[in-house]
Amino acid sequence: MSITPVLLCGGSGTRLWPLSRKSFPKQFVKLVGEETLFAASARRLSGPGFAAPVVVTGSDFRFIVTEQLAEAGIDPGAILIEPEARNTAPAVLAAALHLAAADPEAIILVAPSDHVIPDAALFRSAVTAGLVAVAQGKMVTFGITPGHAETGYGYLELSGTPEGDGAAVPLTRFVEKPDAARAAEMVAAGNFLWNAGIFLFAAKDMIAAFRSHAPALLAPVEAAVAAAKPDLGFLRLDPAAWGGAEDISLDYAVMEKAENLAVVPFTGAWSDLGGWDAVWREGAQAAGGVGSSGPVTAIDCEDVLLRSESEGLEVVGIGLKNIFAIATPDAVLVADMSRAQDVKAAVAALKKKGAKQAEAFPRDHRPWGWFETLALGNRFQVKRIVVHPGAALSLQSHFHRSEHWIVVEGTAKVTIDESVQLVTENQSVYIPLGGVHRMENPGKVPMVLIEVQTGTYLGEDDIVRYDDVYARGQGAKG
Amino acid sequence: MSITPVLLCGGSGTRLWPLSRKSFPKQFVKLVGEETLFAASARRLSGPGFAAPVVVTGSDFRFIVTEQLAEAGIDPGAILIEPEARNTAPAVLAAALHLAAADPEAIILVAPSDHVIPDAALFRSAVTAGLVAVAQGKMVTFGITPGHAETGYGYLELSGTPEGDGAAVPLTRFVEKPDAARAAEMVAAGNFLWNAGIFLFAAKDMIAAFRSHAPALLAPVEAAVAAAKPDLGFLRLDPAAWGGAEDISLDYAVMEKAENLAVVPFTGAWSDLGGWDAVWREGAQAAGGVGSSGPVTAIDCEDVLLRSESEGLEVVGIGLKNIFAIATPDAVLVADMSRAQDVKAAVAALKKKGAKQAEAFPRDHRPWGWFETLALGNRFQVKRIVVHPGAALSLQSHFHRSEHWIVVEGTAKVTIDESVQLVTENQSVYIPLGGVHRMENPGKVPMVLIEVQTGTYLGEDDIVRYDDVYARGQGAKG
């Protein structure tokens, strides 16, 4: 009896800006340790006893998901694409329906993909311990032993103190995020655990729970799964049906109403990395509480997190206390440690003033690879373009710019009007204004190309598409 | 009777790192207001009553000096190049000897080029007021009315409290940088002024003072001036002779010993911008003491200086107090305001660990213009190269790299082996490995070129020079 992990990967949190942005949220970033949170989550729920994972994500992230799974050496069972973000209830129901179609008894572990759980083996033991309750028709939620009186998490009230044997305990009720006094009371009481938002259940039980407690969600999500379309290895849920599903969390829609719940206590370390203060706490620290990442020099600093996200960016802190400073090539955030939850408001302020850094990174990920602008002048732009092996850009032309392409790594197959040629390292081609062209990587290694554009208008929307394997439209990006 | 300003421009201060670095020190940077400190200093001492300035600077800065003077619309009388930095005494003596050769009675105003004096007209009045004392054979120093009990400046003790009419007052003695208590006593006493290091004198009087008080400096500096060589509009002091001059300040060598001194009080605002705390104090501040420059968002900040030195770099501060954060594309400094004087130590630490940011900027200034690296891979490098109108790079070749040049602004005259061609916007040329080549800008506007190098070794020292208008050697840079 194997467990199918369902990794929820739709987040767009901004509390870890500038590293986490809407276009590339925190689960895909290396925040703690050497792996991204998503890769670590997938790896944590792999191996004996686990089936290939199902990932539920948004369209913008689908190629990041496949890239990071490939890097981690994990083959997904399915990647469901949500046409738009609808919180956890529709996502979990869609995954349950998808898996139930093959096996209504399928056992599912739903987990967010942006949490930190350093002891993966201990966590897998807790998951295994929950199977007993699942066999009895229960839905299991995992409760974390509180390390401190945290006000940022919801709590699970148990009918008694856990026995310490790891066995499931009946749940009395869910408790919303408390104030500080109430949090302290609950931690002292001993029968309250943090709600980690991780659930283990049989597919049919979860579907039945939705039928009882959130019946209005069933019809649209069933329709979205039934009409889902395979697309290059992804399964796109039907947008029209999906649009009818309520935006609601699994806790609110189902869990807080269900009777057949049990809690498996998890005594290991856990964090949802809900802010830079949490990243500082969870990460390694030198003497004086100095956490650092990248080329950082800390002089007389105490209880600080200093991060440089680029090898070419030196960060220096002098005489700082309770400060975090996060530096990227296009954005720097410096804040008092106590203000970690206000980063969200800062991002909103940036968005309001139109700063592209609020949501986007300089490196723009596309189905075929990524690009970034290296220099932008009045009438020219220089880009670095990286194309995955086997990938191709659309056949396209521009009204306002010519392009020089110089291949610096790998080999490109370049179509210009009627001619097709291979262009390899240290060779260049010229795409005249109006020329119909396509760039492909026919090789086995990434192809890196420097593009120098000149013209009066250099926007991404100056594009006419003639043919696109990724089915994008006129004027759409990339 | 006109006054010749002598602008001392040799500094390599690190207290305003990362904006001021050894390769491009603070006088050349826009720190306060819209002009660089050097340009503002030159402009302050121009107009009726002032002759063309003499600039004393190092070889590395000579083209920055000419560029910034040209931008400010000021023609220099002479630019003396110090073969190596030797503090202020040899520099002032060299300028005095150079000017005395044409006119021993020449009246000279020596001023550092990295000070802030917002009221230029008031300062010129003070200078004019000093002419009376100079006519009496005095050497005049300017004393700033202390705004606070500063421990970072030397003081001038007067024989009495200034009359307030701006007239020169006899100097009793120089006072070294005091401790806080002594500074407070002096400010309370009323007959102490800050020593601004600005001096007005007749050339012959200064030379006589050196003869009396620092005779050992005369021979080497006289020889260095006598053997100075004109070079593209600069006057290079003779290196061998200059090497024999002691490294010593004008105050120590001469002023503290001279008897014929007078002080002209200056009641206007003045700062030597000796640290980021001073930049914060001297600059504009919004409510709550928030100083900012560039794209900055400050949320709940108090008494902070937040600077972004690039349009593409967003800086966000949240809940900060008494902090300065200075962000550039390759270095970020965050420090407590009280630790402004420790920036120097931080730069020393960076230098020790080999970080190029300690001394150099990504943009590398050369006689012919500048360049910067846009992207660096294992086997490729992309540069932006800007060549001044009329300027030329050396005729050169490389053993380890080929180059693609794409002109994106202006027109280049390109020599490759036996061929010479004009290459203009949106055209490219290829320089094969080993090809003997030269790039010139024959036009009237700056020429901007994107260079894509590929090869196994991409260091600046892979260069064979055949001919160089700037007389640089094999393997030397650029």
Side-chain angles (χ1 to χ4, degrees):
Chain A
M1 190 170 62
S2 75
I3 299 169
T4 301
V6 169
L7 296 169
L8 303 180
C9 209
S12 63
T14 55
R15 287 180 298 176
L16 296 182
W17 186 90
L19 243 68
S20 174
R21 304 186 196 177
K22 193 180 173 192
S23 68
F24 205 90
K26 82 177 207 263
Q27 60 267 31
F28 301 120
V29 179
K30 287 176 191 170
L31 275 162
V32 174
E34 291 305 304
E35 266 189 326
T36 72
L37 297 175
F38 172 69
S41 299
R43 189 189 300 282
R44 189 183 305 127
L45 301 172
S46 63
F50 289 94
V54 171
V55 179
V56 187
T57 191
S59 188
D60 288 349
F61 309 139
R62 66 197 195 280
F63 292 100
I64 306 173
V65 163
T66 51
E67 266 181 72
Q68 295 203 349
L69 286 176
E71 268 175 42
I74 293 172
D75 279 327
I79 299 175
L80 306 188
I81 308 291
E82 299 171 285
E84 48 191 316
R86 275 286 184 270
N87 211 325
T88 50
V92 170
L93 179 55
L97 289 166
H98 171 76
L99 289 165
D103 176 11
E105 308 289 335
I107 294 176
I108 298 174
L109 182 86
V110 166
S113 57
D114 58 353
H115 290 180
V116 171
I117 305 176
D119 191 341
L122 187 65
F123 182 68
R124 282 190 295 265
S125 306
V127 171
T128 309
L131 287 174
V132 181
V134 170
Q136 297 161 354
K138 296 270 174 80
M139 299 198 292
V140 172
T141 174
F142 293 84
I144 313 296
T145 309
H148 59 275
E150 173 68 48
T151 58
Y153 301 146
Y155 286 69
L156 304 167
E157 182 177 355
L158 312 188
S159 57
T161 307
E163 293 289 335
D165 58 356
V169 180
L171 176 73
T172 304
R173 64 182 181 100
F174 285 83
V175 182
E176 303 255 342
K177 290 180 187 177
D179 61 22
R182 181 74 189 120
E185 280 171 31
M186 289 192 286
V187 171
N191 62 326
F192 291 84
L193 302 179
W194 289 339
N195 178 8
I198 305 173
F199 305 101
L200 183 73
F201 51 82
K204 66 174 172 30
D205 294 333
M206 181 59 78
I207 295 166
F210 271 91
R211 190 164 289 125
S212 303
H213 306 297
L217 277 168
L218 264 183
V221 176
E222 273 178 336
V225 172
K229 287 199 175 53
D231 171 22
L232 292 175
F234 305 103
L235 195 58
R236 284 186 180 275
L237 299 172
D238 183 68
W242 189 256
E246 191 186 355
D247 186 315
I248 186 170
S249 77
L250 185 66
D251 282 5
Y252 277 118
V254 171
M255 290 298 176
E256 297 186 1
K257 300 167 186 162
E259 303 288 331
N260 58 332
L261 295 185
V263 177
V264 169
F266 177 64
T267 54
W270 168 90
S271 170
D272 75 344
L273 290 188
W276 284 114
D277 51 344
V279 175
W280 169 65
R281 266 196 309 271
E282 299 301 319
Q285 291 179 10
V290 174
S292 69
S293 169
V296 161
T297 302
I299 297 176
D300 297 340
C301 290
E302 194 184 331
D303 296 340
V304 296
L305 176 64
L306 303 178
R307 290 182 69 119
S308 162
E309 303 304 330
S310 161
E311 270 314 304
L313 183 57
E314 289 285 340
V315 171
V316 175
I318 307 175
L320 302 176
K321 193 171 175 181
N322 290 319
I323 295 278
F324 59 88
I326 317 298
T328 75
D330 71 338
V332 175
L333 170 65
V334 184
D336 193 85
M337 197 68 84
S338 68
R339 303 295 295 268
Q341 293 307 311
D342 295 311
V343 171
K344 210 169 177 158
V347 176
L350 280 184
K351 192 176 171 186
K352 200 171 162 191
K353 82 171 198 178
K356 63 185 187 313
Q357 287 92 337
E359 300 194 334
F361 279 97
R363 194 166 283 190
D364 204 335
H365 288 261
R366 295 298 165 88
W368 44 261
W370 55 265
F371 70 86
E372 65 188 351
T373 296
L374 300 175
L376 183 60
N378 267 339
R379 290 173 45 82
F380 74 93
Q381 179 166 217
V382 184
K383 286 182 179 177
R384 181 205 315 241
I385 298 175
V386 177
V387 182
H388 298 315
L393 279 72
S394 62
L395 185 68
Q396 56 188 243
S397 68
H398 312 291
F399 288 119
H400 300 291
R401 65 180 190 255
S402 332
E403 296 175 349
H404 295 261
W405 294 351
I406 299 110
V407 174
V408 292
E409 282 181 21
T411 299
K413 183 176 161 193
V414 175
T415 304
I416 306 173
D417 296 324
E418 304 306 312
S419 98
V420 179
Q421 58 186 305
L422 289 181
V423 183
T424 190
E425 194 179 303
N426 195 29
Q427 296 183 332
S428 68
V429 288
Y430 175 67
I431 318 292
L433 191 152
V436 175
H437 57 280
R438 182 202 290 275
M439 178 193 304
E440 294 168 70
N441 179 357
K444 300 297 178 196
V445 297
M447 188 269 287
V448 183
L449 177 146
I450 304 300
E451 175 179 279
V452 180
Q453 309 175 343
T454 54
T456 47
Y457 178 80
L458 303 167
E460 288 296 318
D461 57 348
D462 172 19
I463 187 165
V464 179
R465 281 219 174 77
Y466 302 92
D467 176 36
D468 182 13
V469 293
Y470 310 105
R472 294 162 300 171
Q474 301 305 323
K477 296 191 299 174
Chain B
M1 189 172 57
S2 75
I3 299 169
T4 301
V6 169
L7 297 169
L8 303 180
C9 208
S12 62
T14 55
R15 287 180 298 178
L16 296 183
W17 185 89
L19 241 68
S20 175
R21 304 186 196 177
K22 194 181 172 193
S23 69
F24 205 91
K26 81 178 209 259
Q27 60 267 28
F28 301 121
V29 179
K30 288 176 189 168
L31 276 162
V32 174
E34 291 305 304
E35 266 188 328
T36 71
L37 297 175
F38 173 70
S41 299
R43 188 190 301 281
R44 189 183 304 127
L45 301 171
S46 63
F50 288 94
V54 170
V55 179
V56 186
T57 191
S59 188
D60 289 349
F61 309 139
R62 64 197 196 281
F63 292 99
I64 306 173
V65 163
T66 52
E67 267 182 71
Q68 296 204 348
L69 286 176
E71 267 175 42
I74 294 172
D75 278 328
I79 300 176
L80 306 186
I81 308 291
E82 299 172 284
E84 48 191 318
R86 275 286 185 270
N87 211 325
T88 50
V92 170
L93 179 57
L97 289 166
H98 170 77
L99 289 165
D103 176 12
E105 308 288 336
I107 294 177
I108 297 173
L109 182 86
V110 167
S113 57
D114 57 355
H115 291 179
V116 171
I117 305 176
D119 191 341
L122 186 65
F123 182 68
R124 283 190 294 266
S125 304
V127 171
T128 309
L131 288 174
V132 180
V134 171
Q136 296 161 355
K138 296 271 175 77
M139 299 198 293
V140 172
T141 174
F142 294 83
I144 313 296
T145 310
H148 59 275
E150 173 67 47
T151 59
Y153 301 147
Y155 286 68
L156 304 168
E157 181 176 354
L158 312 188
S159 56
T161 308
E163 293 288 335
D165 59 356
V169 180
L171 176 72
T172 303
R173 63 182 183 101
F174 284 83
V175 182
E176 302 256 342
K177 289 179 186 177
D179 60 23
R182 181 74 189 119
E185 278 171 33
M186 288 192 286
V187 170
N191 62 326
F192 291 84
L193 302 179
W194 288 339
N195 178 8
I198 305 173
F199 305 101
L200 183 73
F201 51 81
K204 66 174 171 37
D205 293 333
M206 181 59 77
I207 295 165
F210 271 90
R211 190 162 291 125
S212 302
H213 306 297
L217 277 168
L218 264 183
V221 177
E222 274 179 335
V225 173
K229 287 200 175 52
D231 170 21
L232 291 175
F234 305 102
L235 195 58
R236 285 185 180 274
L237 299 171
D238 182 68
W242 189 256
E246 190 187 355
D247 185 314
I248 188 171
S249 75
L250 185 66
D251 282 4
Y252 277 117
V254 171
M255 290 298 177
E256 296 186 3
K257 301 166 186 166
E259 303 288 329
N260 58 332
L261 295 183
V263 177
V264 169
F266 177 65
T267 54
W270 169 90
S271 170
D272 75 345
L273 290 187
W276 284 114
D277 52 343
V279 175
W280 170 64
R281 267 196 310 271
E282 300 300 318
Q285 290 179 10
V290 174
S292 70
S293 169
V296 162
T297 302
I299 297 176
D300 297 339
C301 289
E302 193 183 331
D303 294 341
V304 296
L305 175 64
L306 303 177
R307 290 182 68 118
S308 163
E309 303 303 330
S310 160
E311 270 314 304
L313 183 56
E314 289 284 340
V315 172
V316 175
I318 307 176
L320 303 175
K321 191 169 176 183
N322 288 320
I323 296 279
F324 60 87
I326 317 297
T328 74
D330 71 339
V332 174
L333 170 65
V334 184
D336 193 85
M337 196 68 84
S338 68
R339 303 295 295 268
Q341 292 308 310
D342 295 310
V343 172
K344 210 167 177 159
V347 175
L350 281 183
K351 191 177 171 184
K352 200 171 162 191
K353 81 170 198 180
K356 61 185 188 312
Q357 287 91 338
E359 300 195 333
F361 280 97
R363 195 166 283 191
D364 204 334
H365 288 260
R366 296 298 165 90
W368 44 260
W370 56 265
F371 70 86
E372 65 187 352
T373 296
L374 300 175
L376 181 61
N378 266 339
R379 291 173 46 82
F380 74 93
Q381 178 166 215
V382 185
K383 285 182 179 178
R384 183 206 312 242
I385 298 176
V386 177
V387 183
H388 298 315
L393 279 71
S394 63
L395 185 68
Q396 57 188 239
S397 68
H398 313 291
F399 289 118
H400 301 292
R401 65 180 191 253
S402 332
E403 296 175 350
H404 295 260
W405 294 351
I406 299 109
V407 174
V408 292
E409 282 180 21
T411 299
K413 184 176 160 192
V414 175
T415 303
I416 306 173
D417 297 324
E418 304 305 311
S419 98
V420 178
Q421 57 184 307
L422 289 181
V423 183
T424 191
E425 193 179 303
N426 195 29
Q427 296 183 333
S428 68
V429 289
Y430 175 66
I431 318 292
L433 191 151
V436 175
H437 58 280
R438 184 202 289 277
M439 179 194 303
E440 294 168 70
N441 178 358
K444 300 296 179 196
V445 295
M447 187 269 287
V448 183
L449 177 146
I450 304 299
E451 176 179 279
V452 180
Q453 308 175 345
T454 55
T456 47
Y457 177 81
L458 304 167
E460 289 295 318
D461 56 348
D462 172 19
I463 187 165
V464 179
R465 282 218 173 79
Y466 303 92
D467 176 35
D468 181 14
V469 294
Y470 311 106
R472 294 163 299 169
Q474 301 305 324
K477 296 190 300 175

